[in-house]
Structures are given as C-alpha cells and as structure tokens.
Amino acid sequence: MIDENLKGKAGKALSGAEKVRSFQRKIYLKAKQEKEFRFYIMYDKIYLHHFLFEAWKRVKANKGVPGYDKVTFSEIEKYGVENYLKELAEELQTETYKPQPVLRVYVPKANGKMRPLGIPTIKDRIVQMSCKMAIEPVFEADFEDCSFGFRPKRSAKQAITEIKSNLKRGKTKVYDADLSGFFDNIPHDKLLILLEERISDKRVMNLIKKWLKCSIFEDNKLHKSSKGTPQGGVISPLLANIYLNLIDKAVTRKDGHFHKHGISLIRYADDFILMGNKLPDEALAYLGKMLEKMELDINVEKTKQIDAVKEAFDFLGFSFHYDRGIFGGKGRYWNVIPSKKSELKIRENLRQAFRKNRHQNNESFVRILNPKIRGWLNYFSISGISYPSKAKGNLRRYLDESLYRFYQHKSQRKCKLYCRSAFEYLVHNYGLVNPVKYAFN
C-alpha cells in the first residue's frame, strides 16, 4: 500500500490519482499501527472530485456492459463526465444517492454449468469504486499474507510460487477446497459486524448496506436480496476478503489448531488449499465447524484431499505434478504447468475469435488474436516456478492447424493463404505471437 513515489512530491501539486494514493498510504499506516482503531470520518472522502474521477477512470478501464438502467460509457461521455460526476457528488453529499437494481446474467463455466454474475449500473460501479479506494487500506492492514486474490500488489502468480515453495518443504498433503456459491451466500449480518470493527462512520455503513440489500433484476422481475454480494460488483471482492479473513486468521494463529500441525493456507478469493506434512482429522473438522458458523458450505464435488507426491492437483489454472526428470534416473521435481482445462479454455477463446472475425483483414485479425495469446502466455509464465514449454508447443500446433482450416473456409473465393502455412505467414508478416518463441519479460 505504501507508495514511495509520493515522498518526493511534498512541495509539488499532486495529481488526483496521487492524492488518492497519499490518502491511502496514511490510512494504511494508521490502521497498521493501531489494530483496534475504528475510522469514523470516511464518507466525505468518497464524494471528493479526485476520488470520483479516479473511480470513473478505473471503472471505464475495466470496460463491462451497461447495468439495469442501460446507460453506457459513451452516453456519459457525451453528457459530460465532469457534469456527471459533479451531480453524483451532490447526491452523495446530500445523501440522496440510491443504488439501482443489479442486473443478473449468467456466463458458462468450464464444467458446462452457468455462473451467476451481478452487474451494477455504471453509476453504482463508480460509487463502489470510490468507496473501495477509501476503505480498502484499512482492511489491507489487517489481512494475512496467505490471501492473494483481488488485493493490491498481490497476484495468482505469488500464490502459485508459495504453493511450490510449500511442496518443496515437504508439505505435500493437500486439502483442495471450494466454497459452494460463496458470493451468493455471505450472511449480511455477520459481514456487517466485521466491517463495523474497523469502520464506525454510519454513512459508509449505510452505503454498504444499500448495496447488499439491492434488488436483483432477473427474468424481467425484481427479486429481494437477503444474503450474498453480487459476483461482479466492484466492492464485492473486498467484502469477500473481509469475510474470509476469519479463516485466514484461524489458520495462521500461532496458538491455533492449524499452526501446531504446521499447516499452511493459500487462498485466492473463495478458492483455497491447506498444505502440511500431515492434515489431522481434528484440524479439518475444526475448519468444517468454522465454515458452518460462517454459514458457508463446502462444494463436495470440487473439494478433495490428496497426497501430491502420488496425485497431481490443479489450482488457479495451474497443475502440480511430482515428475521424473526429462533425462530419467531417480531424481524427481515439482512440475508446475498449465492445467488441461486451461489449455482447453484458450483454445475455445481462440475458436470464438475465429468464428466472429472472418470478415477481418489479416492485420486486424492478428490485433485481435495477439492479446488473447499473449495474456495466456504471460499468466502461465513464472520464471523459475512454472514450465509451460509443452503447453506452448500445444498452443502453437493448435494455431497452425486452426488457421489452416480458417483460411480454407474464410470465403467462397480462395484467398492468398489458401492451402499455405497461414500461421508462419501471419507470424512473419503481421507479427502474430508465436507461443514457442514468446519470452515473458
């Protein structure tokens, strides 16, 4: 949370983004130094212009579709961003702001099921982002190092690095857990108690209560919300981390059931694993009771307990194997590679791009493909930790075969790349990313 770049600008005018970071730095240090302190003046920061403008920039950068009111980013820009934010600030200052219903949509999951997402309006996303920027440093000061999801300067790559480190230290007994419908089942009353331990500003609490109680628009009907926080809301990941921090603290507590057995926790949002030289039944039973008190359920289908030396396991799209060396012998090593599901997912994403962009010229087509390929490669390339070479080769072969078929069926008239190596041609002439030669910096 501490931004060293701000220290040298004490005598200069700070930009809006720098003012936000400066405030966050001060709040973080205060919360870190005084663990029992409750922050009582936070709401007035949320409607400050530099907070709202920074929130607008971040929400716009995340893109996304319109919500319940169908208002788009372009419509707001046409109206005038400054006027829009000024009016929004007045609503917040006079406490006349009321969030609109959350639009419920469903997106397909890898297992064929559908994942529910809640899409707030752009206006509500801006206010949520501003609120998040104001209060997040308070809770960041309380979070444990074992959580990596949706936190500043934290990433999935760090979680994967920690898992491999634990495996090399002999913590090969793994309890791979998944919470069933977590975002839809967070109990509001228990979550609000945790928030009030650090935030005493009633106006901030009322704002969060409004978002939690927001109606859900689905099937052309409004449905009341009695629990959960929309998966898709800007502030939802922070609220989720605040609630699941109870588990983090229980596992890392030095006099607790888990620490005495040397059990470690790695959590990314609602996905987490326990790792240890052994995982006693009493520790897992304690976890079960704790989750029951938190009114959360384990997804039995996805949760399993394994010995990683004997059986591979997947986490965050990576697969962990205890393999023999490529040159044979008795030596073995921890092989961290993209999972089969991850390889299938990038192929499906590219397949969809092929279907939707038959009309594009080569240059435009490559501009569409490259971010997808590069993003996938960057995610799975962790220097000294992961070994995605085989997956890169598989992706290269898929592109070679798919582009050959793509140009065969691109139009009724034969194009220049018909029956030619389209992949190599696009690599050399249009800069298509070649997975096997791509080096992540």
Side-chain angles (χ1 to χ4, degrees), residues 201-214:
D201 190 325
K202 291 183 179 179
R203 292 181 297 172
V204 172
M205 293 304 302
N206 287 335
L207 197 58
I208 295 173
K209 287 176 185 177
K210 288 179 182 179
W211 290 326
L212 292 175
K213 299 296 182 183
C214 231

Side-chain angles (χ1 to χ4, degrees), residues 100-160:
Q100 297 186 66
V102 173
L103 180 64
R104 173 65 58 85
V105 298
Y106 291 87
V107 295
K109 297 169 66 174
N111 59 8
K113 296 182 179 180
M114 303 297 286
R115 183 192 303 278
L117 290 181
I119 304 176
T121 64
I122 293 175
K123 180 179 183 178
D124 293 333
R125 278 179 254 171
I126 294 170
V127 182
Q128 287 188 20
M129 180 66 79
S130 187
C131 179
K132 176 177 177 287
M133 292 190 304
I135 70 172
E136 185 175 52
V138 175
F139 296 98
E140 268 296 314
D142 296 337
F143 289 158
E144 301 293 327
D145 291 338
C146 60
S147 69
F148 297 89
F150 305 106
R151 294 181 58 190
K153 300 181 181 179
R154 294 245 154 186
S155 67
K157 289 188 176 186
Q158 292 172 322
I160 299 304

Side-chain angles (χ1 to χ4, degrees), residues 175-180 297-305:
Y175 181 76
D176 184 2
D178 184 87
L179 298 176
S180 181
D297 297 320
I298 286 286
N299 187 331
V300 179
E301 293 181 1
K302 292 185 177 181
T303 299
K304 59 182 179 179
Q305 185 176 350

